[in-house]
Structure formats: C-alpha cells, structure tokens
C-alpha cells in the first residue's frame, strides 16, 4: 500500500476502528461459515446470498417470501464470501481504501456510504443478471465504491492529513482513466472468469463491482459536501 506512505499520513495499521470492525465482521462470518456451519453453506448462500431468480414474479408467486426475505440479501450478501482467498482480497482492499474514506467521512457517514455502495452494486447485479439462479456474495461492490471515493480523495494536492481537502472532479484525467481501467478489467473478468478463486460460488460478479464503483464515484461528492459543510470548496480544477 505504497500510496498510503505519505509521511504526513497515518499508517494503515492505525486505520479507524470502523474499518477494522468491518474487516473483523466479514472475516468472522466467513470463518464461522467454513468451520462451524460448513454443512449448511448451500442453504446459507441460498437464503442470504443474492439470487436474481428470487425476484422474478414466478418465483415470488410460488414461494411467497416476506418483505424481509426479499430485502435482507441486498445487505447480508455483502458480508458473505466464498472462501478465505475471497474474504482476504476484499479485506485488503477494504483496509486500503476504507482507511482513506473513513478518515474523511467519520464513522456514521462511512458506514452509510459503504452500505449504499453495496446495495447499489447488488441491485445492479440483479438487474443485469435477471432470472439467474446463481448467488452473488461478497463485499466487492461496497469496496469498489470505496475505491472510487478514494481515487477522488487521493488526487488532492493538499496534505492527506487535511480532512477538508478537495476531491478530484469527475472529469479529471485520473478519475476518467482509472474508471475506464476498472470497467475494462471487470468486463474481462466477467467474460473470462479471470480472477475467480477456488470455492467461490460463481466466477466474478462484475455487475456488482461496477454498480458499486459508479455509486461511490457519484455519491461521494454530495456526501462529502454535506460532511464538511456548504462553505467549503470540494473540487479542484480539471487538469
């Protein structure tokens, strides 16, 4: 995590408590699933993972799920993973980018931002893979949203200890370039399955990644403006 090595910034090990809490939650849930409830994994993924088929009219008419059963997977799927590699990769990126965003937003807004990105990613997956019977799981959509916000925060020329430093605008070269890179990487992963680890329920839920990323890219501006107040300037000139 060389990009966190600015001498004026704190080391990642001193990440805000909320970041460590999220990492502990997803790692703890994965360890529990693998070692305590391994025999129930399929049932857990079926009930708490995000299965697009469960939102079709025919499936709802046949099974009569309650509102909670339909709504809960949009959040619960974020905390489920398909193996230690899967949860490990997401934890590393959560530590890297979650640290940047949590220091700027504070705990309540950070959690709200994380969950919204995760939910938007999940909605995107359901909409783009409508009727599929494969479960999508993992925090990748929410983490992708943190990545988008982190890119806009890291581009500021002010010291990283400045908690009101401006964001890079959406149409800056860095933001556009990284966004194009992220789209291409995820489309390739979706088409080829490249990057899927052993034991993952399905290859790569690239729709979830892109939905969460663009939610974070667009949401961080107004949320950050709300956080620091309307009198602060929150963008820098486009280069």
């Amino acid at each position: 995590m060389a990009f966190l090595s600015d001498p004026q910034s704190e080391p990642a090990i001193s990440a805000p408590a909320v970041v460590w809490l999220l990492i502990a939650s997803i790692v703890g849930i994965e360890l529990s699933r693998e070692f305590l409830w391994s025999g129930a994994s399929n049932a857990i993924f079926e009930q708490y993972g995000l299965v697009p088929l469960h939102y079709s009219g025919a499936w709802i008419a046949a099974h009569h799920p309650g509102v909670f059963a339909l709504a809960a997977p949009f959040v619960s799927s974020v905390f489920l993973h398909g193996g230690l590699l899967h949860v490990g990769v997401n934890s590393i990126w959560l530590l890297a980018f979650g640290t940047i965003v949590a220091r700027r937003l504070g705990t309540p807004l950070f959690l709200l931002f994380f969950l919204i990105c995760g939910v938007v990613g999940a909605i995107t997956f359901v909409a783009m893979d409508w009727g599929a019977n494969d479960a999508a799981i993992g925090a990748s959509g929410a983490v992708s949203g943190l990545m988008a916000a982190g890119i806009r925060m890291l581009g500021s020329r002010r010291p990283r200890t400045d908690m009101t430093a401006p964001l890079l605008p959406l149409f800056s070269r860095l933001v556009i370039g990284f966004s194009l890179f992220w789209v291409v990487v995820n489309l390739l992963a979706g088409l080829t399955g490249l990057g899927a680890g052993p034991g993952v329920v399905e290859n790569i839920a690239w729709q979830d990644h892109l939905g969460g990323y663009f939610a974070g890219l667009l949401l961080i501006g107004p949320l950050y403006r709300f956080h620091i107040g309307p009198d602060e300037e929150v963008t820098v000139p486009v280069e």
Side-chain angles (χ1 to χ4, degrees), residues 103-129:
R103 284 176 182 161
R104 292 283 194 98
L105 293 184
T107 296
L109 284 182
F110 171 78
L111 284 175
L112 177 64
F113 182 77
F114 178 85
L115 290 174
I116 289 176
C117 291
V119 169
V120 172
I123 292 172
T124 305
F125 174 79
V126 171
M128 295 184 69
D129 210 14

Side-chain angles (χ1 to χ4, degrees), residues 157-174:
R157 290 194 180 95
R158 293 190 193 175
R160 292 173 190 166
T161 50
D162 183 353
M163 294 298 102
T164 62
L167 302 178
L168 275 178
L170 286 172
F171 297 107
S172 63
R173 286 181 295 182
L174 177 61

Side-chain angles (χ1 to χ4, degrees), residues 66-141:
V67 173
F68 178 81
L70 290 173
F74 287 95
V75 175
S76 60
S77 61
V78 172
F79 294 89
L80 290 173
H81 289 79
L84 295 179
L85 176 62
H86 189 199
V87 77
V89 170
N90 275 341
S91 295
I92 290 170
W93 289 110
L94 176 53
L95 177 61
F97 286 99
T99 296
I100 298 165
V101 180
R103 284 176 182 161
R104 292 283 194 98
L105 293 184
T107 296
L109 284 182
F110 171 78
L111 284 175
L112 177 64
F113 182 77
F114 178 85
L115 290 174
I116 289 176
C117 291
V119 169
V120 172
I123 292 172
T124 305
F125 174 79
V126 171
M128 295 184 69
D129 210 14
W130 188 256
N133 197 28
D134 296 318
I137 54 173
S140 300

Side-chain angles (χ1 to χ4, degrees), residues 9-239:
S9 63
E10 301 174 33
I13 197 170
S14 64
V18 65
V19 175
W20 290 114
L21 178 62
L22 280 176
I23 291 173
S25 298
I26 64 175
V27 170
I29 290 170
E30 178 59 21
L31 291 175
S32 298
R33 182 192 67 78
E34 290 210 20
F35 296 106
L36 297 179
W37 306 312
S38 58
S41 289
N42 288 338
I44 291 172
F45 292 145
E46 177 77 11
Q47 184 170 356
Y48 297 106
L50 194 66
V51 183
L53 178 64
H54 293 180
Y55 299 91
S56 67
W59 194 92
I60 292 174
H63 295 85
H64 306 287
V67 173
F68 178 81
L70 290 173
F74 287 95
V75 175
S76 60
S77 61
V78 172
F79 294 89
L80 290 173
H81 289 79
L84 295 179
L85 176 62
H86 189 199
V87 77
V89 170
N90 275 341
S91 295
I92 290 170
W93 289 110
L94 176 53
L95 177 61
F97 286 99
T99 296
I100 298 165
V101 180
R103 284 176 182 161
R104 292 283 194 98
L105 293 184
T107 296
L109 284 182
F110 171 78
L111 284 175
L112 177 64
F113 182 77
F114 178 85
L115 290 174
I116 289 176
C117 291
V119 169
V120 172
I123 292 172
T124 305
F125 174 79
V126 171
M128 295 184 69
D129 210 14
W130 188 256
N133 197 28
D134 296 318
I137 54 173
S140 300
V143 172
S144 294
L146 296 178
M147 184 184 300
I151 292 299
R152 294 190 66 187
M153 290 175 173
L154 284 171
S156 171
R157 290 194 180 95
R158 293 190 193 175
R160 292 173 190 166
T161 50
D162 183 353
M163 294 298 102
T164 62
L167 302 178
L168 275 178
L170 286 172
F171 297 107
S172 63
R173 286 181 295 182
L174 177 61
V175 172
I176 292 175
F178 187 84
S179 298
L180 289 174
F181 165 78
W182 192 239
V183 169
V184 170
V185 166
N186 277 279
L187 289 177
L188 287 175
L191 291 172
T192 66
L194 181 65
V200 179
V201 175
E202 62 172 34
N203 287 336
I204 299 291
W206 59 272
Q207 306 96 324
D208 180 35
H209 297 185
L210 293 183
Y213 178 84
F214 284 105
L217 197 67
L218 297 174
L219 178 63
I220 191 59
L223 196 64
Y224 189 48
R225 185 175 294 109
F226 170 81
H227 174 59
I228 68 174
D231 295 332
E232 292 284 346
E233 180 65 38
V234 296
T235 58
V236 294
V238 178
E239 295 181 355

